[in-house]
Amino acid sequence: MSTPSNSKRVVIVTGGSRGIGAAVARLFGRRGWHVGLSYTKRDDGARAVAADVEAAGARAHIYRCDVRAEADILTMFAAIDRDFGRLDALVNNAGVTGPRSRLEDLPVEVLREVCETDLMGPILCAREAVRRMSTRRGGNGGAIVNISSTATRLGSPNQWVHYAAVKGAIDVFTAGLAREVGAEGIRVNAVSPGLVLNDPARETEILARLEQMRHEIPLARVGQPAEVAEAVHWLCTESAAYVTGAILPVAGGR
């Protein structure tokens, strides 16, 4: 890819129309990065985030992309090549949990959606990012940050053991890919959020869960999407130049 005259770095954030993804996109824009962000359904949310990025003085493009579909992913990365001419970081944020369920009540359709969205999607997006960033393939290096979950350590029993298992696979993928492409200028890390107020529509539910879990969280409060975004941003900067293969908890000590 040719480098555009504007030397600002470029990040693509999947699932960037709300919650943690929106906070990440907005923070990168404020810190001087151009931002591409994907969404599946919330066109209005994606446009609002893009407007905030542009108000901060950066460029923004939105892409409708269902990360379960390889064709959508290929189309999105081709558009990134066209719109920005470079790629410096990928944030694999898009994900779903499905409804709460014990394993014996889990429909296979829900399991398939979680696997395809939370595992296959990030792997395919990372594949496309590596193809563009790897110095072995003529790229300039870069960073990949996968959004994991503290559910990988806790297992999320009686709620989302399937989701926890898939996020555990993301942790393994993070460690393996970091070793695979480290010598090619690409650092690969993950951020592992705990209980985060990432959906205003679910604020009452999330705060109720906090009351049940407060004794388990040393900081005794819910996290904010902006706090997760700070960790993601750090991992994409030169300040974290010697960090790869790390799983960084942002969970109040839980």
Side-chain angles (χ1 to χ4, degrees), residues 56-148:
R59 289 169 52 209
H61 289 277
I62 65 173
Y63 308 100
R64 190 183 186 286
C65 176
D66 184 341
V67 297
R68 295 175 298 176
E70 182 186 22
D72 279 15
I73 291 171
L74 294 176
T75 297
M76 177 176 70
F77 275 88
I80 292 166
D81 294 342
R82 180 191 67 236
D83 294 336
F84 295 110
R86 64 184 289 169
L87 180 65
D88 301 280
L90 163 68
V91 180
N92 269 321
N93 170 74
V96 296
T97 61
R100 291 188 185 187
S101 171
R102 285 178 56 89
L103 181 61
E104 66 260 35
D105 300 319
L106 177 67
V108 69
E109 294 80 9
V110 172
L111 177 60
R112 184 173 290 112
E113 180 184 20
V114 172
C115 288
E116 291 179 352
T117 306
D118 295 16
L119 181 58
M120 289 184 64
I123 289 175
L124 290 174
C125 286
R127 182 192 71 184
E128 294 307 307
V130 168
R131 286 174 173 176
R132 288 156 174 79
M133 296 191 297
S134 169
T135 56
R136 190 171 70 90
R137 300 175 68 100
N140 296 315
I144 296 172
V145 178
N146 299 315
I147 302 300
S148 182

Side-chain angles (χ1 to χ4, degrees), residues 176-188:
L177 187 61
R179 288 167 173 80
E180 183 167 298
V181 299
E184 299 167 26
I186 303 173
R187 295 182 300 102
V188 186

Side-chain angles (χ1 to χ4, degrees), residues 10-18 21-26 29 34-40 42-54 59-65 76 80 83-84 91 93:
V10 174
V11 61
I12 175 68
V13 183
T14 66
S17 65
R18 64 185 181 88
V24 169
R26 288 183 170 111
H34 294 318
V35 179
L37 58 117
S38 78
Y39 71 98
T40 304
R42 294 196 56 189
D43 175 85
D44 57 339
R47 291 187 183 281
V49 174
D52 289 343
V53 170
E54 292 180 339
R59 289 169 52 209
H61 289 277
I62 65 173
Y63 308 100
R64 190 183 186 286
C65 176
M76 177 176 70
I80 292 166
D83 294 336
F84 295 110
V91 180
N93 170 74

Side-chain angles (χ1 to χ4, degrees), residues 147-176:
I147 302 300
S148 182
S149 170
T150 54
T152 61
R153 292 185 293 102
L154 303 169
S156 203
N158 302 304
Q159 301 180 95
W160 297 294
V161 293
H162 56 290
Y163 169 79
V166 169
K167 287 297 189 180
I170 283 292
D171 287 357
V172 175
F173 172 64
T174 299

